[in-house]
Amino acid sequence: MSTLFISDLHLCDQQPHITRSFLSFCEHKARDIRALFILGDFFEYWLGDDALDRTANMAQQALSNINQRGIDLYFMAGNRDFLLGKQFATACGMQIIEEPHKIELNGETALLVHGDAQCTDDEPYQHVRTMLRNPEWQRQFLQMPIAQRIEFAQQARMQSKQHTQNSHAEIMDVNPQAIDNLFSQYQVKTIIHGHTHRPAIHCEDDKKRIVLGDWHYQTSYLSHDASGFHLICQ
Ligand code: MN
């Protein structure tokens, strides 16, 4: 049985076509599989488990249906949905995993990360990331009224868009040294990540770095079975 990996769907009410693709994926692809790993930026933004929009409710129903088929679900946070909490995860029947997370696939280990932490050339972003991942900052944010959280998120997305437009493409990619460090620190031959929206399987010596794709114009997922890895964009 295969294991599937997805990331960077950026689900939100404003992009209903992506939600439709995901629901179709759940119905047709997420069957007779062992597990589904979601490696971050599943949602375009997350304002707290007490602030679900229509898309979040639909995704919850779809995930919980998959889980009821006996398929294991795992969720790793990305830079946009890092506030997704236990309450929502439990309602979906998925287990939250922290990055980096090591898994075993047919006796071989692989390391899972979202990918943003390895974009070390983007210093301004890494600075913001440190703040956003601070538990005390997160606690205070989640205590704000929902309207205030929405306002903050809108501003943050606008700034992030400007920053992306103003930065060189190489800066927005993972740093090779940061990736090498992961390979050696965790003693793995395979790393799977998303975030950069540059789907590919990079092979160097005996090491493999698999990058998942986003879902804006396609359905993109990685499948692993007895014959190995298959990166599918359709
Ligand atoms: Mn990301």
Side-chain angles (χ1 to χ4, degrees):
M1 276 208 283
S2 57
T3 300
L4 302 186
F5 301 84
I6 56 174
S7 73
D8 302 282
L9 282 79
H10 296 268
L11 291 175
C12 61
D13 283 357
Q14 294 75 24
Q15 305 279 355
H17 74 284
I18 306 180
T19 308
R20 281 197 295 275
S21 303
F22 177 63
L23 296 181
S24 163
F25 170 83
C26 293
E27 218 31 67
H28 303 288
K29 306 288 179 200
R31 288 192 174 274
D32 305 319
I33 60 169
R34 187 181 69 80
L36 171 66
F37 284 85
I38 301 172
L39 299 187
D41 288 359
F42 182 54
F43 292 104
E44 171 74 356
Y45 51 88
W46 195 260
L47 302 174
D49 291 6
D50 58 343
L52 304 190
D53 57 15
R54 197 176 123 77
T55 303
N57 280 309
M58 279 166 37
Q60 181 197 310
Q61 190 57 56
L63 288 168
S64 134
N65 288 346
I66 295 181
N67 183 242
Q68 277 161 21
R69 288 177 211 147
I71 296 164
D72 293 332
L73 297 176
Y74 300 93
F75 174 84
M76 175 180 283
N79 51 298
R80 289 171 176 275
D81 48 14
F82 58 90
L83 286 171
L84 192 148
K86 274 208 181 94
Q87 190 185 322
F88 183 77
T90 305
C92 298
M94 61 185 185
Q95 195 183 320
I96 295 181
I97 51 174
E98 302 293 333
E99 69 171 357
H101 183 86
K102 220 172 180 177
I103 57 166
E104 202 162 300
L105 295 165
N106 293 352
E108 284 206 29
T109 52
L111 193 72
L112 312 178
V113 292
H114 175 59
D116 61 320
Q118 285 68 44
C119 295
T120 51
D121 295 329
D122 188 354
E123 284 174 19
Y125 169 68
Q126 293 302 332
H127 188 72
V128 173
R129 186 181 194 274
T130 306
M131 178 189 85
L132 298 178
R133 295 300 184 103
N134 179 315
E136 181 53 25
W137 183 90
Q138 295 188 358
R139 200 184 57 79
Q140 284 181 14
F141 180 82
L142 290 173
Q143 277 177 353
M144 293 185 339
I146 292 176
Q148 211 178 322
R149 286 183 244 163
I150 291 174
E151 206 177 301
F152 178 92
Q154 279 169 346
Q155 271 181 11
R157 265 182 300 158
M158 228 164 62
Q159 282 167 5
S160 154
K161 209 173 166 186
Q162 274 171 5
H163 175 62
T164 307
Q165 281 166 354
N166 295 338
S167 302
H168 285 290
E170 307 83 64
I171 287 176
M172 308 299 286
D173 203 353
V174 293
N175 172 287
Q177 189 59 53
I179 293 294
D180 278 350
N181 291 348
L182 276 186
F183 275 123
S184 55
Q185 190 182 346
Y186 292 91
Q187 294 288 302
V188 289
K189 301 257 187 279
T190 304
I191 292 175
I192 303 170
H193 73 83
H195 182 66
T196 58
H197 301 193
R198 299 167 198 218
I201 299 185
H202 301 276
C203 295
E204 207 183 307
D205 304 327
D206 56 344
K207 296 194 185 82
K208 201 179 281 170
R209 177 170 69 91
I210 304 174
V211 189
L212 306 174
D214 70 286
W215 281 50
H216 203 77
Y217 302 107
Q218 67 204 350
T219 295
S220 177
Y221 62 97
L222 174 73
S223 168
H224 179 274
D225 58 27
S227 65
F229 288 105
H230 307 278
L231 186 59
I232 296 140
C233 297
Q234 55 191 200

